[in-house]
Amino acid sequence: MEGADKIVYLAAAMAAAGVVFIADLWLPVHSAIAALYMIVVVIIAGGGLQKLVVPAGAACLILTVIAYFISPVTAANPHAAPDLIISDLVIACVTALAFRLSLQTAPLIAAEREAHEARRISEERYSAIFHQSPVSIWESDWTRVFAHMRATGITSESLRASTDAISVLRNLGSTHIANKATARLFGTDSPDAMAGKTFVAHYMPSTEAALAEIFATFLEGGQMREVETQFRTAKGKVIDVLWRATLLQGQSEWSRVLITAIDVTDHNQARAKLEQAAADLAHAARVSTLGQLSASIAHEVSQPLAAIKTYGESAKRWLAAPTPDLTEVGLCLDGVVANSTRASEILARVRSLARKDTPEPEPFDLAGLIAESVRMLQREANAHATHIRELVEPGLPVAFANRVQIQQVVVNLVLNAIQAMDKIDGRPREVVISLSMAPNQMVNIEVRDNGTGIALENPNEIFQPFHTTKANGMGMGLAICRSIVEAHGGAIRAENNIGMGAAVCFTVPTEVRIADTTQRHPLGDVGRAKDPMASSTIAAGELSRKLGDSPQGFTTPTKH
């Protein structure tokens, strides 16, 4: 009990003692009126003044005796002496009882005092943490939201299918309390100004979809949902926010919802820059690969051009004949058109590799991509006396990825396999490209050679930046391949064959997997612009880190 409260109890006891003393002194009442002094003792004991219980009882006894001797009504009261004795006995008994109870309750009172103090310190600590936290935190009451959804039959499925109901639901919540970080995040004057209000004024169109997902999760029995969305500050700035809502125990359904918000705008901007840097690096690698294949590309283009020339000359001869054969001329022109188309397709493939576009996923036939890549590399394979064989499992689903980047990986791996067998003599040089189904609706692509293998204890170290044995190589090709594969949600690994050579395998997602993932996680990243290559953050980030940390010129004895 606080000191001020004790003073109040002490003053009340003294006032009561004065009133009883005056009444005992002047009132001509033939009864033990002095027994009312027990009220004084009770007040002292009830006020937690244990040390004053006995002194207070003794003082009351003294006042009783004084009143007996100086009272003008004592002589007229034949029961004055018995009343004195009764009053003193009552006061003594009450004092003794109060003293005994005070001894018994003293530990309880002390414990209560300690608990009260601990609670006060805890509340102060919580308040300090709450308001000084750099993370935006607020508590909302969504009782009316829950009641409206129950009354109107809104379900989690309907919320995810359409956000029409959100225009009403978003206005039914209210804020209990918000911390200072929340005021800074939204640019308001103070957290107190947010009490009793909603955040609707700061909503963006994507916020409603995020809110619908949170409501749907709670309706399904979930206790927490985290989504990424956008808000608009009081100054009009659009910010990316990682928004988490947690359902707490309250007096009624959804009466306490703890919400946190973390500003990830700078993080997303840095991630976008990192992804762009990774894309630029991959583009530079593709252009470098095209430089290595320039002779093959020139040879492949020269074939349809030579055919066009031949068909054109033939058409001229048929037209110059005494009797022009228009049927033959037509066949020659068909040959010109067909080879023109072929040359155009070859140049289109080269341009697609050299083009610097934003990587977007698309459905495509992996077997066709492999065949196209083999044609592109055929002259290089011939120059190294290498045979390329394709093994395609029938019935493979359509792949869903960025076609240009997957072709870049295939070309890089096959080119490495061809070059890994440069010093092989006495046995045929062969590269086998296999396509097969992998777990989790992924397609596995394997490039296997019969060279000398990978001279590393852990073959997967070849995917580390700057690992190369080429005199003019930078050791970035396989590192870029890994970042591309992982950006698509796949995995890449290397291993030595049991006999000779090595193999590199990687997986690519299919349309079936993408559709299944979309159904199971319809709003996994609510509110943020959908970036099909957003998962490249991790791979590109690791690559960027290693580019900054790896020593220049580090090489390992490997043929890949």
Side-chain angles (χ1 to χ4, degrees), residues 193 201 281 300 446 483 535 558:
L281 189 60
E300 193 172 356
E446 181 185 77
S483 70
S535 60
T558 173

Side-chain angles (χ1 to χ4, degrees), residues 297-529:
I297 294 170
H299 174 74
E300 193 172 356
V301 172
S302 67
Q303 288 181 337
L305 293 180
I308 290 172
K309 179 183 178 182
T310 302
Y311 280 119
E313 291 175 345
S314 297
K316 286 175 63 178
R317 285 196 299 270
W318 286 113
L319 287 174
T323 303
D325 191 335
L326 297 182
T327 301
E328 291 293 338
V329 171
L331 292 175
C332 290
L333 292 178
D334 289 341
V336 170
V337 172
N339 281 277
S340 298
T341 303
R342 180 185 171 191
S344 177
E345 291 174 349
I346 295 170
L347 294 176
R349 292 199 301 268
V350 174
R351 280 198 305 269
S352 68
L353 286 172
R355 196 164 49 234
K356 188 177 181 181
D357 289 340
T358 301
E360 295 289 345
E362 59 182 334
F364 64 92
D365 178 24
L366 261 177
L369 181 141
I370 297 298
E372 179 182 305
S373 301
V374 170
R375 286 197 301 270
M376 184 182 298
L377 293 166
Q378 193 60 60
R379 183 177 177 83
E380 186 74 15
N382 294 339
H384 289 78
T386 300
H387 173 64
I388 302 178
R389 187 157 52 100
E390 304 168 44
L391 298 177
V392 180
E393 180 181 309
L396 290 177
V398 173
F400 189 82
N402 181 258
R403 191 181 190 279
V404 171
Q405 289 192 335
I406 298 303
Q407 186 174 32
Q408 177 182 353
V409 175
V410 172
V411 169
N412 192 292
L413 294 182
V414 175
L415 193 59
N416 281 352
I418 292 172
Q419 295 172 352
M421 296 183 288
D422 273 345
K423 298 180 180 180
I424 297 300
D425 295 318
R427 63 176 183 269
R429 301 176 182 180
E430 184 180 54
V431 174
V432 180
I433 307 173
S434 303
L435 287 182
S436 59
M437 203 63 198
N440 301 320
Q441 297 299 329
M442 304 283 279
V443 175
N444 184 71
I445 303 175
E446 181 185 77
V447 178
R448 186 179 297 271
D449 64 58
N450 61 345
T452 57
I454 303 171
L456 289 172
E457 183 177 349
N458 179 11
N460 288 307
E461 290 183 7
I462 64 174
F463 300 112
Q464 301 296 328
F466 306 113
H467 281 218
T468 183
T469 57
K470 300 176 184 178
N472 57 349
M474 293 181 60
M476 293 304 302
L478 291 175
I480 293 172
C481 288
R482 185 185 67 172
S483 70
I484 291 174
V485 171
E486 293 178 350
H488 286 83
I492 188 169
R493 61 185 177 85
E495 61 184 9
N496 284 312
N497 299 333
I498 296 177
M500 297 169 291
V504 177
C505 311
F506 70 96
T507 53
V508 177
T510 63
E511 275 195 309
V512 177
R513 174 183 171 86
I514 297 300
D516 180 60
T517 304
T518 304
Q519 290 176 0
R520 287 185 286 108
H521 305 286
L523 283 172
D525 241 352
V526 179
R528 202 167 58 84

Side-chain angles (χ1 to χ4, degrees), residues 116-137:
H116 175 77
E117 182 66 15
R119 185 165 55 252
R120 182 188 64 81
I121 294 174
S122 176
E123 290 175 353
E124 289 180 354
R125 184 182 297 114
Y126 165 78
S127 179
I129 294 173
F130 180 73
H131 286 291
Q132 299 304 320
S133 171
V135 177
S136 171
I137 308 172

Side-chain angles (χ1 to χ4, degrees), residues 142 173 301 343 533:
W142 289 355
V301 172
M533 306 301 293

Side-chain angles (χ1 to χ4, degrees), residues 143-174:
T143 305
R144 294 197 300 161
V145 175
F146 179 79
H148 181 81
M149 287 194 290
R150 280 288 180 259
T152 56
I154 296 175
T155 63
S156 59
E157 292 78 10
S158 63
L159 283 171
R160 290 192 174 105
S162 172
T163 59
D164 293 342
I166 296 297
S167 59
V168 176
L169 296 174
R170 68 181 187 178
N171 296 301
L172 299 180
S174 62

